[in-house]
Amino acid sequence: MEMIISGYQIIAQKGPEARTPLLGDFMIASTFAGIAFGNAGCAAVHAMSYPLGAVYHVPHGEANYAIFTAVYKTYQTLDPDGGIKELNAFLAGLLGCETAAVYDTLEALLNHILPKKALSDYGVTPADLERFTEAVMTKQTRLMANNYVPLNEDQVRAIYQQLY
């Protein structure tokens, strides 16, 4: 996370051309991320991104980004005193912000790299939100079992609606 966030901060400050000398670090960081996913598993962000990719052919990384901060803000609301507290403190240190602002600050940084789109910008319809919710709750149970806190159907739907 340190390698990726510091690299993104450099790109945000210096522009897209600043990425070239950082590519080696990004490759190493992505390898570490792959190892982490292999050890810890994936959860709601990945589960909820699958329908967006499957139906609208959004690349998986971009689909994850479209979902990411809304899921973590929901986690924060549901269990602010669990392990997320440690994550928030770590991210606040990297981002130079208060813990209460980590997800907004992270999203602002990421928007320098790839502007975030609303789900409707991909062509998602209100009816899709229901289909996506059903698909996540019935076909992505293996991933959803790894959530920081369990999410029910109404919470998943609310995350999608927030992103619409």
Side-chain angles (χ1 to χ4, degrees), residues 51 119 124-138 153-154 156-158 160-161 164:
L119 295 181
V124 174
T125 67
D128 287 331
L129 301 180
E130 290 303 316
R131 286 191 288 274
F132 286 8
T133 299
E134 181 182 344
V136 167
M137 298 308 293
T138 61
E153 186 173 336
D154 290 337
V156 169
R157 182 181 300 104
Y160 280 133
Q161 288 170 339
Y164 185 74

Side-chain angles (χ1 to χ4, degrees), residues 13-164:
Q13 292 168 359
K14 298 183 179 180
E17 65 284 347
R19 77 184 181 287
T20 303
L22 302 170
L23 294 178
D25 287 345
F26 284 144
M27 289 177 62
I28 292 168
S30 69
T31 301
F32 287 150
I35 292 168
F37 285 132
N39 289 328
C42 300
V45 172
H46 287 266
M48 293 181 69
S49 73
Y50 277 112
L52 181 60
V55 175
Y56 290 97
H57 310 291
V58 177
H60 188 60
E62 183 176 350
N64 282 321
Y65 171 46
I67 305 294
F68 180 77
T69 54
V71 167
Y72 274 78
K73 286 177 180 180
T74 300
Y75 287 162
Q76 175 67 30
T77 299
L78 295 173
D79 188 4
D81 295 319
I84 201 167
K85 196 173 191 176
E86 184 179 339
L87 173 64
N88 292 348
F90 178 74
L91 289 172
L94 294 177
L95 296 165
C97 67
E98 296 296 321
T99 56
V102 293
Y103 299 108
D104 291 332
T105 304
L106 181 59
E107 192 163 283
L109 174 63
L110 295 174
N111 273 317
H112 285 282
I113 308 304
L114 179 66
K116 185 175 177 179
K117 296 179 185 179
L119 295 181
S120 59
D121 292 339
Y122 294 107
V124 174
T125 67
D128 287 331
L129 301 180
E130 290 303 316
R131 286 191 288 274
F132 286 8
T133 299
E134 181 182 344
V136 167
M137 298 308 293
T138 61
K139 295 184 171 95
Q140 299 297 334
T141 56
R142 180 182 59 83
L143 297 179
M144 294 294 282
N146 289 327
N147 287 346
Y148 167 64
V149 292
L151 298 176
N152 63 37
E153 186 173 336
D154 290 337
Q155 291 161 329
V156 169
R157 182 181 300 104
I159 291 169
Y160 280 133
Q161 288 170 339
Q162 172 187 336
L163 297 169
Y164 185 74

